[in-house]
Every structure is written in structure tokens, then in C-alpha cells.
Amino acid sequence: MRDLRSDPARPYAAHTLGRNSWSIGLAVCGMADARPSDFGRFPLAEAQIDGLCVVARRLADAYHIPLAAIRTHAEAALEDGYFGADDDELRWDIARLAPRAEPLEAREAAATGEALRARIAALR
């Protein structure tokens, strides 16, 4: 790992919008064309969420990452002030784990992150 600000000319795999320094990005395949109200033809399966939590736990243990540092895209959007700013609902993941018609709210995104961290913590 390296601090990207120290040598921004070197190539890197951008995936966390300014959060690449000392970061690990995890992705789960699914949710093509999903929206908060409709998770589409390929919603995340419970087994995928379980697998995501297992991998996050193993990486956290291996690299001494505090569980509080594990964040969803939705939480990054909250921290950076762009949550809910896009009409096309980009970067809402993972703000909820089941589709619902109600608009997303910041508290829901934060609660979902807390729920995922609790699942990760329970994997000791």
C-alpha cells in the first residue's frame, strides 16, 4: 500500500474516489440496473452478503484494519456530502439490503453500514 498523494503520477487502480491510499476495495457481483426500490434481475443473495462479510473479516484481521474503518459506498457518500445528490440514484449501494419504495435516507445508509459491521464482528 502507498499514499497516492506522495507520487500521483504512478499508476494505480482507481476505485474509491480519493480513498485509494491505504484502502482495500471489495465488490460483489450483482445488482445490474438496480435501484433502491427494485434490485432488478440480479439482486444480491444472502450468501453473497455473507461471503462479503467473511472476506472483509479476513482482510481486517490480516491487515489490522479496525472494523470501524470498513465503509459502504453509501457511507462514503454521506461522509463526502453527495449522498442523495444524484437524480439517477448513483452510489446508493449498499444503503439498504432489501428493495423498498420509500426514498433512501441518510440514517438508513448509516444503519445498514452498522448492521454489516456487526455481521463482520460476529465472525470472530
Side-chain angles (χ1 to χ4, degrees), residues 15-16 24-28 51-57 59 70 73 120:
H15 70 279
T16 57
I24 297 171
L26 299 178
V28 177
L52 177 70
C53 291
V54 167
V55 171
R57 180 76 225 195
L59 289 170
I70 298 171
H73 276 162
I120 294 165

Side-chain angles (χ1 to χ4, degrees), residues 35-124:
R35 295 288 178 251
S37 61
D38 177 5
F39 282 10
R41 294 178 40 216
F42 306 104
L44 294 182
E46 193 64 25
Q48 287 175 292
I49 297 169
D50 287 343
L52 177 70
C53 291
V54 167
V55 171
R57 180 76 225 195
R58 289 181 181 167
L59 289 170
D61 288 346
Y63 292 102
H64 308 288
I65 299 168
L67 295 185
I70 298 171
R71 312 309 259 173
T72 66
H73 276 162
E75 290 177 297
L78 287 171
E79 292 168 11
D80 291 347
Y82 63 85
F83 182 83
D86 293 329
D87 290 334
D88 59 356
E89 299 177 313
L90 291 175
R91 299 192 188 272
W92 61 271
D93 62 317
I94 298 178
R96 61 174 50 148
L97 297 175
R100 288 203 318 282
E102 296 82 21
L104 283 170
E105 295 183 9
R107 63 183 164 83
E108 182 179 11
T112 298
E114 289 296 328
L116 289 169
R117 283 185 291 282
R119 285 172 75 163
I120 294 165
L123 294 169
R124 276 245 176 240

Side-chain angles (χ1 to χ4, degrees), residues 11-28:
Y12 68 97
H15 70 279
T16 57
L17 189 62
R19 296 174 188 269
N20 288 66
S21 298
W22 308 102
S23 296
I24 297 171
L26 299 178
V28 177

